[in-house]
Amino acid sequence: MNSKEVAIIGGGVAGISAAVALTDIGFMVHIIERDVQLGGHATSFACKATDKCSKCLVCVADELVLKASQHPKIRVLTGSEVMSFSGKPGDFELRISQAGGEESLFKESVLKIGAIVIATGFMPFNAEEKKEYGYGKYKNVITASDFERAIRANGAISRPTDGSAPEKITFFQCVGSRDESIGKGYCSKVCCSYALKLSKLVKSEIPESDITIFYMDVQPTGKDFLKLRESCEEMGIKFVRNLPSKIYGYADSDFMRVNNLNNNTGEVVQDEFDLIVLSVGMSPQNDVKFLANTFKVDLDEHNFFKGLKQSTNLSNTPGIFLAGACQGPKDIEESMAHGRAAAAEVVKMLREQ
Amino acid sequence: MKREVSKIGIFIYDCESKLKNVLSISEVCSKLEGLGFVCFESPASHFNEAMSDFEKYLKDNEMLKVVIAGCDSRSKEQIFKNSLKKVGLSPYWVNFVNLNEAIGYKEKKKATEKAINLVTQAAKWIEMQEIIGTQKVLLNQKVLVLGGGIAGIETALTLTEGGLDVILIEETSHLGGGAVAVENLKGLVKSKIEALVNEKKVRVINSSHLVDLDGHVGRFTARVEGEQKLIFEVGAVVVATGNELILPIQELDESSGSLAIGQKDLENRLSLSKDVPQRVCFLIDLVDEDLKISTQVLLKQALAVKEKFGSDVICLCRDLKVSFDGGEKLYEKAQEAGVLFFKYTKKPKIAFSDEIVKTSLINEDYPHEKLVFESDLLVVNEKIMPGRGSNALAESLSVDLDSKGFFQSDNVKLLPTFSSRRGIFFVGGCRLPQNINETLSEARATAAEIFSFLSKEEIELDLTSAKIDSDKCILCLTCIRTCPHRAIVVDQEEETAKVIPLACQSCGICVSECPVVAIELPLYTNAQIIGQLNDVVGEAG
Ligand SMILES: Cc1cc2nc3c(=O)[nH]c(=O)nc-3n(C[C@H](O)[C@H](O)[C@H](O)COP(=O)(O)OP(=O)(O)OC[C@H]3O[C@@H](n4cnc5c(N)ncnc54)[C@H](O)[C@@H]3O)c2cc1C
Ligand code: SF4
Ligand code: SF4
Ligand code: SF4
Ligand code: SF4
């Protein structure tokens, strides 16, 4: 009987939170992480503090990674993936393959565990699918993930064409979300919040910059959201409720043109920007179908893992639990809480055994 | 206790050869050896190699305490501490020195002197430091849950799964809270209530409330009053007292009468299958525009009214806050059913006359166009207010409320339901109004947090808490008032203030407040304060 051991698939903030909570309760945990390191997306994002911490929680991911990699009861298996699985709740066998070893081949192993937590997270929407925005074609059109990574790596904000500070910046909201035409009929929950925080960061780093946010609706998160939005407006960041349908590039310029509606006059106006950030949403992981098949768990209509009504941590298969953004878009705070909540569900199931 | 200088080890490491170029590490070492310490200089240029040197060094030398000096050693504290634990040394008997600051000097001699200074200081400090003891503390494995709404019920149920006993206090005569009146939640709430009353580990006490809470995490004493007066000993307390809804009358017109109702009133009408008129206008975000729950209710109700009564339905809002599971789909469905949506930035005008409500606003898509809607019923979102008893409850718990009067969480980086007092948690709408999935998940997460802590009868606690010198204390009570975590009490017998180790979070506030310098924090050594100052200076410069 190995019900005191649990396998967690995916070592992002949700997976690690579940792992830590489980070890606190006395479990031994294996984290199966496909990447070479733990932490998931959040560890590639930027700290969004201006003069004050913006509570974006990105730094918490780094702390969690340190905690997990040091933890005597957490076994971290990086570079590893699930191959197959069998057994019944409380008594599963999970076959995994791990990269590495001397010949840098894959080595296979079998874990005997009582429960499985799927915490495989999300993929940022692939902006190339929105051809009209010219991502990949125009260098100064970047995604928010690109932007986050660049700020984290360089510590400075620059436009890709020549590395100089951008003058006119805009954020396009809802790229790859709330768009049934591309099968993304859901709101990604996080992009309004990160775009507002990023725009504040840009404005405080480059005070003379001119920033516009094109949006449909602003989604509030947490207690201090109104203050955040008001502080953006006070800093002179413009909010325009209208999503431009196309980006027009020029042959030899750092700038690009977009058409939009002036909310006061109702006229169509042309505007130019030298940095366009696409606030990409959260799409399902690329291998969800494989995992869904392997574990016989249902996906929802948008290919996120489907949680049950009484608890979104429960899948339709007993013994297989869900945590974090793999079950649907969530920010870091919610993903961490969801991870811990999954730990509680694991305890409950194994007690009932 | 024996104090031997020779049992204090100094470990100096370099990273990316940053130090070697600017100062002489061997000179630092020989100077400290001269003072009687055992010094070791790691030749490694990478942190990982330095770590294996360190572990070997610990094994080869018999040591009691260690000083670790290097680049940015503070951020690597945890890793070093773990190695200390592995060889059986106290992870608290270590002092870290950040040599980055010495690098600031241009001359090698000056830099070396500075480094010698820093390390010597740290070594002397740790020499004086006493061993941090541990204390066995008995824990009470019961949890008090205040409030029998869905958040309280889910927390209680989950706690029992972790093996804990629960006492659930409900102010009214029945369980379920606000969600029992909600058509699509009724079933779920009922099944959870049933599970709760059938659970032997839970004792539900209706028509009662908490009057007083004493003690600290692991050992609280709660006085509860209702039909009976009861006293409970519990290890943790969960506040799940929910919130209240108030019709934003001041935003409407005095003459609105029954023409304007709240979302909750409509919910009641719908669940009682009462008639709804032919033209209905929903207007939300006049208040609480930063809460997405009003949009969720709006979409659900607009669709229900449209489908059941075939009414003309118009929805006015600032933003469609569809950032909840299934939100966008619900919005699409409502649109397909023929519900009309308009967004506003400027507040719409509302006029009531002859049983008709007129709502007018500027069309954002065509700014010159003024839209006027006539309807027979106006539905607005209520303002969500903290529960009436929140103030009194916060006072008896000695916890904080936020500017709106909701319970204030203390550490979002850990778990948003943490309060400023260890062992007290805020779950559900009393902290932040959220939807059912978010609330349930938060409740389970909190329960997991509690049973990870209370699942043992006894814990061994490192005494890293503040210490009060009873000879010096003049009982001015300053520290008791200023401790944000309510960790200091009066010891009547000894006539001194006393720190409760379990409750103390070693924040150091009392240390600086005591007028007679009677309080000390074992871990917050001067050297560490200097180290931190150096970091700050280093970052600024
Ligand atoms: C551009 C952008 C900016 C954001 N900024 C913020 C912000 O400022 N604040 C905030 O709160 N949130 C932000 N978010 C959201 C945040 O990224 C998520 O909340 C968080 O990363 C979700 O954590 P997770 O653990 O569920 O998933 P992930 O972070 O996606 O982690 C999943 C992990 O599972 C691994 N994995 C996947 N599949 C497998 C498999 N088959 N086998 C093994 N391992 C696998 C992955 O390698 C990864 O390590 C942002 C999102 C985007 C797109
Ligand atoms: S990463 Fe985010 S939460 Fe952390 S310090 Fe920076 S702004 Fe604050
Ligand atoms: S969070 Fe904002 S930007 Fe992201 S999908 Fe939702 S509405 Fe669009
Ligand atoms: S150190 Fe902080 S928590 Fe501890 S007693 Fe002093 S003020 Fe209270
Ligand atoms: S502040 Fe100092 S003197 Fe006053 S009660 Fe506390 S310990 Fe005693």
Side-chain angles (χ1 to χ4, degrees):
Chain A
M1 190 69 173
N2 295 289
S3 62
K4 277 306 228 184
E5 293 188 22
V6 177
I8 295 180
I9 305 170
V13 290
I16 301 179
S17 298
V20 171
L22 282 165
T23 58
D24 283 347
I25 310 162
F27 287 86
M28 163 82 204
V29 178
H30 309 262
I31 299 181
I32 296 152
E33 168 58 57
R34 188 167 60 182
D35 203 352
V36 292
Q37 62 193 32
L38 286 182
H41 287 95
T43 46
S44 64
F45 294 155
C47 167
K48 301 174 192 69
T50 49
D51 52 339
K52 266 210 324 260
C53 164
S54 73
K55 301 215 176 110
C56 74
L57 299 199
V58 160
C59 57
V60 178
D62 297 315
E63 283 164 29
L64 281 175
V65 172
L66 193 66
K67 204 165 177 178
S69 46
Q70 301 266 309
H71 203 296
K73 282 184 166 171
I74 298 178
R75 185 167 159 233
V76 179
L77 298 154
T78 46
S80 58
E81 272 180 86
V82 171
M83 296 178 68
S84 64
F85 137 94
S86 62
K88 57 181 198 319
D91 211 356
F92 287 131
E93 267 192 27
L94 189 66
R95 185 173 292 276
I96 59 166
S97 80
Q98 189 172 15
E102 272 87 80
E103 315 88 36
S104 80
L105 287 171
F106 286 89
K107 71 170 187 277
E108 282 183 33
S109 55
V110 174
L111 301 178
K112 290 177 182 293
I113 58 216
I116 287 164
V117 180
I118 302 180
T120 50
F122 68 100
M123 288 296 277
F125 172 71
N126 175 8
E128 279 171 21
E129 282 179 44
K130 289 281 290 181
K131 294 234 165 6
E132 55 277 32
Y133 287 162
Y135 177 72
K137 188 160 127 205
Y138 310 130
K139 270 175 129 184
N140 285 347
V141 175
I142 62 174
T143 67
S145 319
D146 300 338
F147 199 38
E148 292 255 11
R149 244 178 279 130
I151 298 173
R152 180 167 179 135
N154 312 330
I157 293 155
S158 58
R159 57 183 195 205
T161 39
D162 61 358
S164 64
E167 295 159 33
K168 280 195 78 182
I169 302 141
T170 175
F171 289 81
F172 280 24
Q173 296 305 103
C174 301
V175 178
S177 314
R178 305 189 63 188
D179 191 349
E180 198 46 67
S181 70
I182 49 168
K184 305 277 178 197
Y186 58 87
C187 164
S188 289
K189 285 188 185 176
V190 294
C191 14
C192 279
S193 164
Y194 76 59
L196 263 59
K197 288 173 183 173
L198 281 172
S199 65
K200 264 185 88 169
L201 181 67
V202 176
K203 188 75 190 171
S204 60
E205 296 284 311
I206 314 172
E208 63 280 10
S209 61
D210 180 303
I211 305 177
T212 307
I213 298 178
F214 289 113
Y215 75 106
M216 282 201 266
D217 299 285
V218 176
Q219 305 299 329
T221 36
K223 274 190 175 180
D224 297 325
F225 194 80
L226 261 188
K227 267 192 228 149
L228 171 66
R229 184 170 178 175
E230 280 163 11
S231 69
C232 285
E233 279 163 356
E234 274 160 26
M235 286 173 101
I237 294 162
K238 287 169 272 182
F239 288 80
V240 178
R241 200 198 302 268
N242 170 39
L243 282 173
S245 55
K246 195 168 159 60
I247 295 171
Y248 302 89
Y250 301 114
D252 49 2
S253 166
D254 296 316
F255 281 79
M256 294 147 296
R257 177 169 60 85
V258 303
N259 299 338
N260 75 287
L261 193 79
N262 183 314
N263 274 7
N264 295 319
T265 63
E267 283 165 15
V268 173
V269 287
Q270 296 191 344
D271 216 342
E272 291 187 335
F273 299 94
D274 60 343
L275 185 65
I276 298 182
V277 182
L278 306 178
S279 293
V280 284
M282 297 164 94
S283 290
Q285 269 290 2
N286 44 18
D287 65 346
V288 283
K289 294 230 164 88
F290 168 76
L291 289 181
N293 271 332
T294 307
F295 294 114
K296 306 274 176 300
V297 292
D298 291 343
L299 297 173
D300 69 15
E301 59 192 320
H302 299 115
N303 283 336
F304 289 102
F305 289 103
K306 190 171 180 167
L308 297 190
K309 197 173 172 200
Q310 70 265 34
S311 162
T312 52
N313 290 122
L314 300 177
S315 76
N316 55 306
T317 303
I320 314 288
F321 300 86
L322 310 172
C326 70
Q327 184 268 320
K330 288 177 189 60
D331 64 12
I332 294 171
E333 181 178 310
E334 208 187 340
S335 300
M336 292 197 299
H338 204 241
R340 285 194 206 216
E345 290 291 5
V346 171
V347 173
K348 180 173 170 182
M349 189 270 295
L350 292 177
R351 267 178 94 80
E352 282 164 7
Q353 285 293 303
Chain B
M1 194 181 311
K2 217 165 53 186
R3 289 213 170 99
E4 287 177 68
V5 168
S6 63
K7 290 282 173 72
I8 297 178
I10 317 269
F11 180 81
I12 307 183
Y13 72 97
D14 200 352
C15 24
E16 270 79 55
S17 308
K18 222 156 106 191
L19 293 177
K20 278 193 189 78
N21 299 330
V22 285
L23 53 84
S24 161
I25 297 181
S26 48
E27 214 179 306
V28 178
C29 242
S30 62
K31 181 83 189 193
L32 278 138
E33 297 252 326
L35 293 172
F37 300 104
V38 187
C39 193
F40 180 79
E41 175 193 348
S42 162
S45 59
H46 288 288
F47 180 68
N48 287 348
E49 296 164 28
M51 272 320 292
S52 47
D53 277 351
F54 181 62
E55 293 191 354
K56 189 167 177 303
Y57 167 67
L58 289 180
K59 278 194 197 110
D60 295 350
N61 295 279
E62 199 190 314
M63 250 155 345
L64 266 179
K65 307 174 181 180
V66 198
V67 173
I68 297 168
C71 304
D72 193 23
S73 52
R74 262 173 43 80
S75 70
K76 312 213 159 73
E77 272 179 26
Q78 201 49 47
I79 305 175
F80 280 113
K81 283 183 177 173
N82 284 340
S83 302
L84 290 170
K85 269 193 221 160
K86 265 194 232 159
V87 297
L89 285 179
S90 161
Y92 296 108
W93 254 15
V94 56
N95 215 340
F96 294 95
V97 181
N98 189 346
L99 290 180
N100 261 337
E101 202 239 357
I103 296 174
Y105 292 83
K106 288 212 174 60
E107 281 169 61
K108 199 161 183 169
K109 192 163 156 266
K110 276 249 172 74
T112 308
E113 258 171 37
K114 179 76 193 173
I116 292 172
N117 246 330
L118 287 172
V119 180
T120 314
Q121 230 172 2
K124 291 214 161 135
W125 183 268
I126 202 167
E127 186 194 336
M128 294 186 319
Q129 204 173 320
E130 287 170 33
I131 284 200
I132 301 248
T134 56
Q135 185 186 332
K136 287 222 164 95
V137 187
L138 284 175
L139 298 175
N140 212 311
Q141 291 174 289
K142 269 199 202 103
V143 181
L144 182 71
V145 176
L146 304 173
I150 190 72
I153 295 175
E154 182 75 356
T155 313
L157 278 175
T158 315
L159 284 167
T160 63
E161 309 293 353
L164 300 177
D165 290 312
V166 178
I167 295 143
L168 189 145
I169 308 290
E170 165 58 43
E171 193 151 49
T172 69
S173 58
H174 54 273
L175 293 172
V180 274
V182 181
E183 194 59 31
N184 54 324
L185 299 181
K186 259 184 203 159
L188 180 72
V189 180
K190 275 202 186 121
S191 69
K192 299 249 179 205
I193 292 178
E194 205 169 303
L196 189 79
V197 294
N198 287 327
E199 173 58 61
K200 287 192 196 68
K201 294 178 96 55
V202 181
R203 175 167 174 203
V204 178
I205 302 170
N206 283 328
S207 313
S208 303
H209 61 277
L210 179 88
V211 284
D212 185 43
L213 185 79
D214 240 353
H216 53 83
V217 56
R219 304 206 69 77
F220 288 111
T221 307
R223 280 202 300 127
V224 171
E225 278 180 13
E227 280 156 23
Q228 293 166 285
K229 288 188 177 177
L230 300 162
I231 291 182
F232 297 106
E233 302 277 329
V234 295
V237 179
V238 176
V239 181
T241 47
N243 46 42
E244 282 172 28
L245 304 179
I246 290 171
L247 203 62
I249 279 296
Q250 70 282 3
E251 302 285 336
L252 302 167
D253 194 302
E254 297 283 301
S255 61
S256 65
S258 59
L259 277 180
I261 64 171
Q263 290 182 318
K264 193 179 166 194
D265 302 325
L266 181 63
E267 195 68 39
N268 289 338
R269 279 200 198 189
L270 290 172
S271 76
L272 296 172
S273 301
K274 277 197 197 159
D275 254 5
V276 171
Q278 200 45 47
R279 296 174 300 175
V280 182
C281 177
F282 287 87
L283 169 57
I284 63 163
D285 298 341
L286 293 179
V287 291
D288 287 343
E289 56 178 290
D290 53 344
L291 294 179
K292 58 190 180 194
I293 189 79
S294 49
T295 300
Q296 190 168 355
V297 178
L298 165 85
L299 293 175
K300 188 190 73 180
Q301 292 185 339
L303 200 57
V305 168
K306 188 84 203 170
E307 281 173 351
K308 269 195 198 159
F309 304 97
S311 309
D312 295 335
V313 183
I314 285 173
C315 300
L316 312 177
C317 61
R318 259 178 225 270
D319 285 298
L320 268 159
K321 290 160 285 182
V322 289
S323 50
F324 58 91
D325 289 355
E328 182 71 12
K329 276 274 144 168
L330 203 56
Y331 172 42
E332 274 166 25
K333 207 171 155 198
Q335 282 179 305
E336 272 162 25
V339 175
L340 297 179
F341 290 87
F342 296 93
K343 294 173 199 167
Y344 65 85
T345 311
K346 249 180 93 189
K347 215 163 92 179
K349 287 205 183 71
I350 315 162
F352 298 94
S353 65
D354 305 332
E355 303 295 299
I356 289 177
V357 196
K358 264 194 194 162
T359 329
S360 46
L361 73 156
I362 300 204
N363 186 352
E364 280 212 348
D365 292 333
Y366 305 96
H368 291 307
E369 194 180 300
K370 194 174 162 196
L371 300 168
V372 183
F373 300 109
E374 284 191 359
S375 51
D376 313 309
L377 183 67
L378 182 72
V379 184
V380 297
N381 66 306
E382 291 94 345
K383 185 159 180 53
I384 305 187
M385 303 283 284
R388 240 172 298 134
S390 302
N391 270 320
L393 186 55
E395 203 156 303
S396 43
L397 296 172
S398 303
V399 294
D400 305 321
L401 298 177
D402 65 17
S403 56
K404 286 185 181 166
F406 289 92
F407 286 93
Q408 169 82 54
S409 56
D410 190 55
N411 199 337
V412 285
K413 291 190 181 180
L414 277 174
L415 188 68
T417 60
F418 272 105
S419 78
S420 62
R421 278 186 83 182
R422 258 191 203 163
I424 300 180
F425 300 83
F426 310 134
V427 176
C430 68
R431 180 185 70 86
L432 177 70
Q434 297 187 100
N435 75 13
I436 186 89
N437 284 349
E438 292 158 344
T439 303
L440 291 176
S441 157
E442 169 174 306
R444 285 192 298 275
T446 306
E449 179 64 30
I450 294 174
F451 58 65
S452 71
F453 178 74
L454 287 185
S455 58
K456 303 161 213 104
E457 279 171 31
E458 188 183 77
I459 55 163
E460 204 162 285
L461 196 72
D462 293 319
L463 289 180
T464 59
S465 51
K467 252 193 255 161
I468 297 178
D469 185 339
S470 58
D471 294 337
K472 284 190 193 160
C473 173
I474 52 168
L475 259 187
C476 71
L477 308 186
T478 304
C479 57
I480 298 178
R481 276 196 302 272
T482 48
C483 170
H485 308 291
R486 306 288 148 175
I488 310 183
V489 292
V490 179
D491 185 336
Q492 301 286 4
E493 275 167 37
E494 304 277 324
E495 291 183 359
T496 176
K498 195 176 78 183
V499 175
I500 297 155
L502 254 184
C504 171
Q505 302 192 11
S506 308
C507 69
I509 289 172
C510 58
V511 178
S512 55
E513 292 289 330
C514 173
V516 296
V517 205
I519 316 181
E520 228 180 67
L521 205 54
L523 282 182
Y524 220 64
T525 63
N526 276 348
Q528 276 180 314
I529 295 171
I530 293 169
Q532 281 191 341
L533 276 177
N534 288 341
D535 282 356
V536 173
V537 173
E539 273 161 29

PDB file of all heavy atoms in Angstrom, chain B residues 27 76 78 230 390 396 427 511 525:
ATOM      1  N   GLU B  27      43.910  36.671   4.055  1.00  0.00           N
ATOM      2  CA  GLU B  27      44.266  37.586   5.129  1.00  0.00           C
ATOM      3  C   GLU B  27      43.124  37.669   6.145  1.00  0.00           C
ATOM      4  O   GLU B  27      43.353  37.698   7.357  1.00  0.00           O
ATOM      5  CB  GLU B  27      44.557  38.969   4.538  1.00  0.00           C
ATOM      6  CG  GLU B  27      45.637  39.714   5.287  1.00  0.00           C
ATOM      7  CD  GLU B  27      45.894  41.063   4.649  1.00  0.00           C
ATOM      8  OE1 GLU B  27      46.161  41.085   3.424  1.00  0.00           O
ATOM      9  OE2 GLU B  27      45.802  42.080   5.359  1.00  0.00           O
ATOM     10  N   LYS B  76      20.995  32.910   0.364  1.00  0.00           N
ATOM     11  CA  LYS B  76      21.237  31.473   0.338  1.00  0.00           C
ATOM     12  C   LYS B  76      21.127  30.864   1.738  1.00  0.00           C
ATOM     13  O   LYS B  76      21.469  29.707   1.945  1.00  0.00           O
ATOM     14  CB  LYS B  76      22.623  31.208  -0.246  1.00  0.00           C
ATOM     15  CG  LYS B  76      22.846  32.000  -1.541  1.00  0.00           C
ATOM     16  CD  LYS B  76      23.720  31.280  -2.531  1.00  0.00           C
ATOM     17  CE  LYS B  76      23.540  31.797  -3.946  1.00  0.00           C
ATOM     18  NZ  LYS B  76      24.134  33.122  -4.182  1.00  0.00           N
ATOM     19  N   GLN B  78      18.801  29.702   3.554  1.00  0.00           N
ATOM     20  CA  GLN B  78      18.044  28.481   3.773  1.00  0.00           C
ATOM     21  C   GLN B  78      18.867  27.250   3.398  1.00  0.00           C
ATOM     22  O   GLN B  78      18.839  26.232   4.070  1.00  0.00           O
ATOM     23  CB  GLN B  78      16.743  28.541   2.968  1.00  0.00           C
ATOM     24  CG  GLN B  78      15.674  27.620   3.471  1.00  0.00           C
ATOM     25  CD  GLN B  78      15.456  27.743   4.980  1.00  0.00           C
ATOM     26  OE1 GLN B  78      15.351  28.830   5.523  1.00  0.00           O
ATOM     27  NE2 GLN B  78      15.441  26.606   5.669  1.00  0.00           N
ATOM     28  N   LEU B 230     -21.254  28.741  26.901  1.00  0.00           N
ATOM     29  CA  LEU B 230     -20.339  27.617  26.741  1.00  0.00           C
ATOM     30  C   LEU B 230     -18.906  28.113  26.644  1.00  0.00           C
ATOM     31  O   LEU B 230     -18.647  29.233  26.213  1.00  0.00           O
ATOM     32  CB  LEU B 230     -20.676  26.847  25.461  1.00  0.00           C
ATOM     33  CG  LEU B 230     -22.087  26.244  25.390  1.00  0.00           C
ATOM     34  CD1 LEU B 230     -22.449  25.912  23.964  1.00  0.00           C
ATOM     35  CD2 LEU B 230     -22.166  25.016  26.278  1.00  0.00           C
ATOM     36  N   SER B 390     -19.348  42.518  12.525  1.00  0.00           N
ATOM     37  CA  SER B 390     -17.905  42.426  12.235  1.00  0.00           C
ATOM     38  C   SER B 390     -17.036  43.236  13.190  1.00  0.00           C
ATOM     39  O   SER B 390     -15.997  42.778  13.637  1.00  0.00           O
ATOM     40  CB  SER B 390     -17.607  42.883  10.813  1.00  0.00           C
ATOM     41  OG  SER B 390     -18.322  42.105   9.918  1.00  0.00           O
ATOM     42  N   SER B 396     -13.181  41.456  19.579  1.00  0.00           N
ATOM     43  CA  SER B 396     -12.945  40.355  20.519  1.00  0.00           C
ATOM     44  C   SER B 396     -11.870  39.396  20.016  1.00  0.00           C
ATOM     45  O   SER B 396     -11.267  38.681  20.800  1.00  0.00           O
ATOM     46  CB  SER B 396     -14.241  39.618  20.875  1.00  0.00           C
ATOM     47  OG  SER B 396     -15.025  39.412  19.752  1.00  0.00           O
ATOM     48  N   VAL B 427     -12.329  33.302   6.079  1.00  0.00           N
ATOM     49  CA  VAL B 427     -12.693  32.580   4.864  1.00  0.00           C
ATOM     50  C   VAL B 427     -14.013  33.098   4.315  1.00  0.00           C
ATOM     51  O   VAL B 427     -14.949  33.362   5.073  1.00  0.00           O
ATOM     52  CB  VAL B 427     -12.806  31.064   5.168  1.00  0.00           C
ATOM     53  CG1 VAL B 427     -13.274  30.305   3.940  1.00  0.00           C
ATOM     54  CG2 VAL B 427     -11.470  30.514   5.633  1.00  0.00           C
ATOM     55  N   VAL B 511      10.552  45.149  20.362  1.00  0.00           N
ATOM     56  CA  VAL B 511      11.929  45.401  20.763  1.00  0.00           C
ATOM     57  C   VAL B 511      12.245  46.892  20.683  1.00  0.00           C
ATOM     58  O   VAL B 511      12.842  47.478  21.590  1.00  0.00           O
ATOM     59  CB  VAL B 511      12.908  44.602  19.865  1.00  0.00           C
ATOM     60  CG1 VAL B 511      14.344  44.890  20.243  1.00  0.00           C
ATOM     61  CG2 VAL B 511      12.610  43.118  19.949  1.00  0.00           C
ATOM     62  N   THR B 525      20.002  39.443  15.425  1.00  0.00           N
ATOM     63  CA  THR B 525      21.226  39.930  16.029  1.00  0.00           C
ATOM     64  C   THR B 525      21.647  41.238  15.383  1.00  0.00           C
ATOM     65  O   THR B 525      21.249  41.548  14.277  1.00  0.00           O
ATOM     66  CB  THR B 525      22.351  38.912  15.828  1.00  0.00           C
ATOM     67  OG1 THR B 525      22.564  38.791  14.439  1.00  0.00           O
ATOM     68  CG2 THR B 525      21.992  37.573  16.416  1.00  0.00           C
TER      69      THR B 525
END
